[in-house]
């Protein structure tokens, strides 16, 4: 599904954020992207979403070279990827329902589809009954579940999450990771950049480790740090 060949990203200020990454992620996988702050995890997720262009190397999403997409194809790529962010990025003046609906509105979905799909997504994340709440009325965990509902409502092939539990307490973090696991079990590929070493160590998923922009480890059923 995702294929990176010798991908490097140098920011305009000269920082080498990722260097010579080769990585293949298949459909249906659940992957943790780990590494210390500044290792290049965010940059890698942004490169896959094509929010950033690599300085060199090639990136393929479903056999398409993402560096050569026309505008329409770029929108199609982003429709197939659901992003989840550390700071939730909800619209504060919209209700829970409206926040999730918005993801479909920008794709031009009909009101009928929206009325049908939004409640299903909210039920999947356990937020039935919270439709009319505003983000500020929700706990952090609930806000992030709105973030996940917004990502899954468009039925993406891939969920890309950048430090999704970074603002959540340990119990809430666990619940969120279990939610990602369920989404993955239903067939969606999941890639999560995270610092939550205890969760990574207990879940025994594929672990891709970055250090100073380099891919230093790639293990099936891996752990957060070597030998843990
Ligand atoms: P991580 O997500 O693992 O913390 P990042 O991808 O955010 O790592 O950062 C990798 C490196 O690139 C760091 O040295 C960071 O300071 C730098 N960096 C990230 N974004 C930018 C940017 N927009 N401009 C310049 N340097 C950046
Ligand atoms: P947590 O213990 O996870 O931090 P909170 O104590 O923030 O959760 O919230 C517990 C419940 O109270 C949640 O269901 C949340 O939606 C509700 N809630 C929190 N703050 C408000 C508020 N200002 N108005 C209405 N409901 C709220």
């Amino acid at each position: 599904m995702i294929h990176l060949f010798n991908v490097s990203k140098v920011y305009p200020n000269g920082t080498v954020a990722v260097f010579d990454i080769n990585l293949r992620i298949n459909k249906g996988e659940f992957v943790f992207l780990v590494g210390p702050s500044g290792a290049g995890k965010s940059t890698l997720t942004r490169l896959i979403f094509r929010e950033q262009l690599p300085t060199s190397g090639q990136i393929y999403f479903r056999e398409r070279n993402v560096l050569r997409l026309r505008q329409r194809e770029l929108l199609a790529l982003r429709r197939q990827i659901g992003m989840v962010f550390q700071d939730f990025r909800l619209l504060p003046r919209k209700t829970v329902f409206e926040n999730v609906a918005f993801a479909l509105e920008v794709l031009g979905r009909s009101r009928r589809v929206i009325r049908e799909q939004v409640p299903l997504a909210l039920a999947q994340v356990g937020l039935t009954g919270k439709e009319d709440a505003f983000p500020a009325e929700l706990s952090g965990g609930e806000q992030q579940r709105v973030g996940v509902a917004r990502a899954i409502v468009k039925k993406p092939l891939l969920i890309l999450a950048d430090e999704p539990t970074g603002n959540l307490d340990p119990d809430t973090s666990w619940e969120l990771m279990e939610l990602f696991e369920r989404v993955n079990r239903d067939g969606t590929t999941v890639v999560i950049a995270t610092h939550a070493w205890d969760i990574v160590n207990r879940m025994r998923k594929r672990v891709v480790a970055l250090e100073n922009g380099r891919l230093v480890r790639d293990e099936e059923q891996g752990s957060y740090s070597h030998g843990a």
Side-chain angles (χ1 to χ4, degrees):
M1 169 171 285
I2 305 165
H3 217 150
L4 280 76
F5 295 98
N6 306 107
V7 170
S8 296
K9 173 69 185 180
V10 183
Y11 284 111
N13 65 3
T15 304
V16 181
V18 303
F19 183 76
D20 202 26
I21 301 273
N22 287 290
L23 178 64
R24 182 191 181 116
I25 295 173
N26 293 318
K27 186 169 186 308
E29 282 198 277
F30 188 117
V31 182
F32 283 124
L33 207 54
V34 307
S37 187
K41 305 180 297 296
S42 276
T43 300
L44 200 57
T45 61
R46 282 190 226 130
L47 287 167
I48 295 168
F49 196 54
R50 233 212 67 169
E51 230 175 67
Q52 295 277 356
L53 291 171
T55 312
S56 59
Q58 298 297 331
I59 302 174
Y60 289 80
F61 182 79
R62 302 184 77 211
E63 319 294 331
R64 301 296 308 264
N65 185 330
V66 307
L67 308 182
R68 300 211 189 121
L69 300 180
R70 297 157 190 276
Q71 190 57 29
R72 235 187 47 194
E73 296 168 316
L74 179 59
L75 294 179
L77 170 86
R78 297 211 170 131
R79 190 161 67 230
Q80 290 165 355
I81 301 178
M83 285 286 292
V84 177
F85 305 95
Q86 171 168 5
D87 56 0
F88 320 136
R89 300 205 194 168
L90 303 178
L91 299 164
R93 290 172 193 283
K94 287 187 184 285
T95 65
V96 166
F97 186 98
E98 290 163 351
N99 265 279
V100 178
F102 190 65
L104 294 178
E105 283 162 14
V106 299
L107 299 178
R109 297 289 188 263
S110 70
R111 289 178 57 175
R112 186 180 63 79
V113 167
I114 290 172
R115 271 202 306 272
E116 182 183 285
Q117 295 300 321
V118 172
L120 289 177
L122 289 174
Q124 250 181 295
V125 302
L127 284 181
T128 301
K130 296 282 184 186
E131 291 80 1
D132 297 329
F134 286 92
E137 297 171 339
L138 301 177
S139 69
E142 290 171 325
Q143 290 184 52
Q144 190 57 299
R145 282 190 275 148
V146 177
V148 175
R150 181 183 54 192
I152 64 178
V153 75
K154 53 185 187 171
K155 302 187 189 301
L157 296 165
L158 169 68
I159 296 278
L160 261 182
D162 191 0
E163 213 65 71
T165 63
N167 287 323
L168 305 179
D169 62 48
D171 286 347
T172 312
S173 298
W174 262 108
E175 287 165 17
L176 190 77
M177 289 298 192
E178 282 164 357
L179 174 58
F180 283 124
E181 201 174 25
R182 281 202 301 277
V183 169
N184 175 248
R185 239 181 275 134
D186 292 338
T188 309
T189 308
V190 173
V191 177
I192 303 177
T194 186
H195 272 120
W197 58 271
D198 47 337
I199 295 180
V200 171
N201 287 345
R202 277 175 65 181
M203 284 178 72
R204 292 286 158 183
K205 302 292 188 186
R206 179 176 172 192
V207 172
V208 172
L210 297 181
E211 258 174 47
N212 296 319
R214 286 166 172 81
L215 197 163
V216 294
R217 195 156 52 86
D218 184 352
E219 292 173 348
E220 296 300 323
Q221 304 187 312
S223 52
Y224 190 86
S225 52
H226 199 71

